[in-house]
Amino acid sequence: MSPDQSANHTDTNHRQFTPGNFAIDEYRPIRVAVIGAGISGIVAGVRFPQKVPNVELTIYEKDDGVGGTWYRNRYPGLACDIPAHCYQLTFEEKKDWSGLYAPGTEIREYLQGIVDKHKLMRFIKLRHEVVGAQYNEDTGKWHVRVRHIDPDTGVRSELEDVVDILVPAVGVLSRWDWPDIDGLRDFQGELHHTAGFDPKEKTWQEVADDWKDKKVAVIGVGSSAIQLVPAIQPKVQKLYNYVRGKTWLAVPFASNTFATLLDRGPDGAEDYRFSAKEIERFKTDEDFYRRFRTVMENDMNSMHAATLRGSNLQEQATQLFEANMRRKLVKKPWIAESLMPTFPVACRRLTPGPGYLEALVEDNVEFVQTPIKRVTKTGIETIDGQHHELDIIFCATGYDTSFQLPFEIVGRKGVHLNDKWQPHPTTYLTMCVDEFPNMFMVLGPNSGIGSGSMLIMIEYEVMYAVQATLKMQRERLKSIEVKREALLDFDAYLESYFPKTVYSEKCRSWYKMGAEDGRVVGLWPGSALAAVKAITYPRWEDFNYETSDPTSNRFYWLGDGQTYSEKTMTGDRAWYLREEFLDIPPVPTGYRTM
């Protein structure tokens, strides 16, 4: 025997092992916990049972109902600020939206309908708040602590769930707090935060019926304030809008396209309600509905260039928005001068705000840009000494966008995620963090979309988590953890990308954790289409793995060389001929054979 033959013989002997006594597809049970039953949690509730065999799924939701931010927010005028037909899941269409910008009630009904259709309440535990999660390095499991409040007795209890995969899906715009204004708590009238407004068993319109003799203040000029002001302006005696900053009011997205597709004349471009005839046509004419939705989505996904510094589309948008604002504020032109910023369009989150500018010029509305000094028992005093008597104050002052979670997630070696995310969060493709194995976030840091719909990002991030779960289950892995160097490379890409965009200009935005300058932590570095392309197929080489089996052989998961249907002589042993597995290539046309 030659030296080479001897070495090969010794190496082969060393690598011999006993194959597993299981079929290659005899999948072990795998437990998944999702935190949150908003849109992300609902998509997870559909996709995990659909795609992962033998999965045990639990979705923990602290509220009394599903929908996340759409369940919690009930303020007057709440609506989606992108076209409704672009704010629906790819696999669940709705053809009877009442208008281009769907009201919050319809979105809640849409999400509840998905939950009911797919029977997701078998996975969802309402009034179950996750208060902590810790990774066990020995077992490769997450220990999730959950607090439950009994709705009948009010008794609190705490349980622990042990799972293989943790999917935080809490979103960024889910935690609000009161603004830091002197004397705010001394106010003796009605005090509301838009995110905490609760009409109880009534609609907001029914509540507002009692406001016709009221003097009302709205503090803020973000997305919530821009929807709130026009909603309540006709229903109150006097409305004060206190505005500290500046903002661009977008021309409603795709409004001209919307009107053209509906065969409306020029006068119909700003009537955002669908007529009964148009809704019926959506419901009965599949080609019309399909074309409408596809063209609207195409328009939404054609705006990315406007986010790039100095682009033609950015300059065109600036000119268009300025002209639109001046035209609608012609009765009070000084508001345009006070409201229009010097920073570029899209530096902070854009909203079309139908009706906001029109409301500002009404006789019962006062636009106040003098800074607030304090809130008194009876109203608001500004720094110039002016005092407005008020009955109701709405704080439309946004959310906590620090990405500091309200509960502890503890990874390897006792590392706390909130500590690791100081002074700002870092992730791998927005979904993974080193030292936190088997954890895949949905809508984590840098997962927001600057142009396009957030829902497509949610769907693809959930499918990324599903693919990772399938890999763990198929290959019998104990852990899958992103490599530190891969995370740092993505972080370097972020830092290199954003300087060429308008997001890095000086403007106060939740994209930068509420700061004027600094790191962009809210947005994906690129377009929505680029984002889904990037995460469709995981780069498995960017992860480290531990096996759960007592062998170092990477192919132990091949098992005993057969499938479960062969082992048990049950099921379909010609599954590859079923339609869903066929990939029939098109026949080339237009070619001549020799």
Side-chain angles (χ1 to χ4, degrees), residues 500-519:
K500 69 179 184 180
T501 71
V502 297
Y503 306 125
S504 61
E505 295 276 7
K506 187 172 183 177
C507 70
R508 191 175 302 279
S509 167
W510 75 261
Y511 299 158
K512 293 175 281 197
M513 298 192 293
E516 284 191 330
D517 294 301
R519 181 185 170 96

Side-chain angles (χ1 to χ4, degrees), residues 322-571:
E322 179 177 348
N324 181 65
M325 291 177 70
R326 290 189 184 281
R327 176 174 62 86
K328 292 191 173 182
L329 294 170
V330 68
K331 286 173 59 178
K332 298 180 181 179
W334 67 271
I335 296 181
E337 300 302 329
S338 299
L339 193 56
M340 284 194 303
T342 56
F343 56 75
V345 165
C347 180
R348 59 180 293 178
R349 184 170 182 252
L350 280 176
T351 183
Y356 175 70
L357 297 175
E358 293 87 338
L360 292 183
V361 298
E362 291 295 331
D363 293 338
N364 69 330
V365 178
E366 188 169 332
F367 183 85
V368 184
Q369 204 166 37
T370 307
I372 295 172
K373 178 181 179 181
R374 64 190 179 105
V375 175
T376 68
K377 291 181 179 180
T378 60
I380 291 178
E381 181 185 345
T382 49
I383 60 172
D384 60 359
Q386 289 286 316
H387 184 274
H388 295 130
E389 295 286 322
L390 299 167
D391 301 294
I392 303 170
I393 295 176
F394 274 96
C395 298
T397 46
Y399 295 82
D400 176 356
T401 55
S402 66
F403 286 97
Q404 290 292 290
L405 297 175
F407 52 86
E408 289 186 341
I409 296 182
V410 184
R412 289 190 189 275
K413 303 180 180 66
V415 174
H416 290 244
L417 186 60
N418 280 344
D419 292 340
K420 193 175 182 72
W421 279 356
Q422 291 287 359
H424 54 72
T426 54
T427 68
Y428 169 81
L429 295 177
T430 83
M431 295 174 287
C432 305
V433 183
D434 62 301
E435 298 184 300
F436 292 82
N438 306 351
M439 185 180 84
F440 302 90
M441 297 176 290
V442 183
L443 292 191
N446 288 107
S447 60
I449 299 298
S451 59
S453 175
M454 183 75 78
L455 270 64
I456 191 65
M457 189 67 168
I458 290 173
E459 288 195 46
Y460 276 74
E461 288 192 336
V462 168
M463 282 306 302
Y464 193 100
V466 166
Q467 290 183 77
T469 302
L470 286 168
K471 183 176 178 67
M472 283 192 64
Q473 186 185 54
R474 179 180 63 248
E475 299 180 22
R476 302 170 66 87
L477 298 173
K478 172 184 171 182
S479 71
I480 173 172
E481 178 184 354
V482 70
K483 295 176 180 177
R484 177 68 177 168
E485 57 267 31
L487 180 145
L488 292 176
D489 280 350
F490 180 65
D491 199 58
Y493 180 81
L494 289 175
E495 295 280 34
S496 302
Y497 172 82
F498 281 116
K500 69 179 184 180
T501 71
V502 297
Y503 306 125
S504 61
E505 295 276 7
K506 187 172 183 177
C507 70
R508 191 175 302 279
S509 167
W510 75 261
Y511 299 158
K512 293 175 281 197
M513 298 192 293
E516 284 191 330
D517 294 301
R519 181 185 170 96
V520 176
V521 300
L523 296 178
W524 175 269
S527 70
L529 296 181
V532 298
K533 287 282 188 181
I535 66 176
T536 298
Y537 302 106
R539 283 176 47 90
W540 299 125
E541 62 269 34
D542 289 343
F543 293 86
N544 290 317
Y545 306 95
E546 293 177 298
T547 180
S548 60
D549 292 311
T551 175
S552 61
N553 190 289
R554 73 190 63 198
F555 290 111
Y556 184 77
W557 59 275
L558 295 179
D560 58 11
Q562 60 184 330
T563 63
Y564 187 75
S565 61
E566 295 168 282
K567 182 177 180 177
T568 61
M569 293 307 292
T570 60

Side-chain angles (χ1 to χ4, degrees), residues 27-43:
Y27 300 119
R28 63 185 170 109
I30 193 158
R31 292 180 56 81
V32 178
V34 177
I35 307 175
I39 298 177
S40 302
I42 289 170
V43 174

Side-chain angles (χ1 to χ4, degrees), residues 1-17:
M1 184 181 293
S2 69
D4 286 344
Q5 289 174 321
S6 177
N8 289 338
H9 180 71
T10 301
D11 193 45
T12 300
N13 286 338
H14 176 71
R15 290 181 176 270
Q16 287 181 347
F17 71 102

Side-chain angles (χ1 to χ4, degrees), residues 71-87:
Y71 178 81
R72 288 186 291 275
N73 279 269
R74 308 290 178 104
Y75 63 82
L78 172 67
C80 186
D81 57 9
I82 69 168
H85 289 79
C86 303
Y87 199 78

